[in-house]
Amino acid sequence: MKLIRRRRNAYALSLAAGICLAAWLGMAFMSEAVFVFGAISLISLVLLVRQSRLLYDATLIWDNRILAVPSALISTEGSLRQADTEETVVSTFGMLIGSRIYRWGLDGVHGARLRAVQIDQERMALTFGDKDQTMRVELLHGMTQKQAVLDAAQKLWHETGVMADIFDWQYIKMNTKNRGNADDK
C-alpha cells in the first residue's frame, strides 16, 4: 500500500509541476513548450486519478482485512510464482499482494468472484477469477487456535458467501451442508 501511495504522490507532484511550468511558459509566450507541459499535465492527471482509485481500493481492503500474512504462492493456469512482498492481505472485498490488487464481486455477474477457500493447519488456499481466468493463492496463515480458524471461516462465509472447507485442523471439517457449524469428531 505504501508503493501505491508513493506513486500517487509522485503523479500529484508531476501534475503540479507541469501546470506551473505550463503557466510560466505561457506568460513567456512559448506556445510550443506550453503544449508539451500541458500534455504532461494531462497525462499526469489521468495517472493520478487511476492511482487514487487504486489507493482507495487498497485502503478498503486493508481496513476490512480478515487475514494478513507476509507472503503468498500464486498460481494461474499453467504458471506458478512465489510472491515475497511486504504483506499479503485477504479482505471481504479482495486481496492485496504487495502493490497488486485482486478485487472480487465489483463487476457484477461477469466480474471476478471468490470461488473456493480451503484451510488446513498450515495454509489457506483461495481460488478466484472469472470465466476466462482462474487464480489460486496459497497463504501460510499462521493461525494456531481452532477458534481463530473458525472465526476466519465464518467471516469469509458471512462477507463473501463462500464457505471455507477446513481440513486436518484438530479433526474439524466444515462443509456447505452445515453452514458454519463445526462438527467435532
Side-chain angles (χ1 to χ4, degrees):
M1 197 155 91
K2 291 177 187 176
L3 181 62
I4 296 171
R5 185 174 286 119
R6 214 174 300 140
R7 283 182 190 159
R8 189 229 21 211
N9 293 343
Y11 293 144
L13 184 61
S14 175
L15 174 66
I19 290 173
C20 289
L21 285 171
W24 180 67
L25 291 171
M27 291 190 306
F29 301 108
M30 297 181 171
S31 59
E32 295 86 18
V34 170
F35 287 118
V36 169
F37 285 107
I40 290 172
S41 298
L42 185 62
I43 292 169
S44 296
L45 178 65
V46 169
L47 292 173
L48 176 64
V49 168
R50 183 174 171 257
Q51 203 66 26
S52 294
R53 286 183 182 169
L54 283 175
L55 182 60
Y56 174 79
D57 290 340
T59 304
L60 187 66
I61 290 171
W62 181 263
D63 291 343
N64 294 292
R65 66 184 174 267
I66 295 172
L67 180 68
V69 296
S71 68
L73 183 64
I74 303 169
S75 62
T76 58
E77 298 166 6
S79 71
L80 179 68
R81 67 181 168 101
Q82 176 78 25
D84 289 322
T85 60
E86 58 189 53
E87 193 157 38
T88 301
V89 177
V90 177
S91 169
T92 59
F93 298 104
M95 187 178 314
L96 176 66
I97 301 175
S99 63
R100 183 97 171 127
I101 296 174
Y102 300 96
R103 301 176 299 182
W104 42 69
L106 293 180
D107 296 327
V109 176
H110 303 292
R113 298 266 184 217
L114 181 63
R115 298 183 186 273
V117 178
Q118 293 90 26
I119 304 174
D120 63 20
Q121 285 186 327
E122 296 176 354
R123 290 184 168 81
M124 175 185 283
L126 296 108
T127 305
F128 59 94
D130 56 10
K131 64 180 180 176
D132 297 329
Q133 183 180 13
T134 301
M135 294 183 68
R136 180 179 169 91
V137 176
E138 290 186 13
L139 309 167
L140 295 172
H141 57 68
M143 292 183 275
T144 59
Q145 300 293 320
K146 177 171 86 170
Q147 191 60 44
V149 172
L150 292 174
D151 290 344
Q154 183 66 28
K155 196 170 195 180
L156 276 168
W157 176 66
H158 184 264
E159 298 292 336
T160 64
V162 176
M163 177 57 73
D165 292 325
I166 301 176
F167 298 102
D168 298 329
W169 187 270
Q170 300 173 2
Y171 307 107
I172 298 175
K173 166 113 173 61
M174 289 178 60
N175 58 33
T176 56
K177 291 179 185 171
N178 55 17
R179 292 285 177 203
N181 298 326
D183 294 331
D184 290 326
K185 292 183 182 179

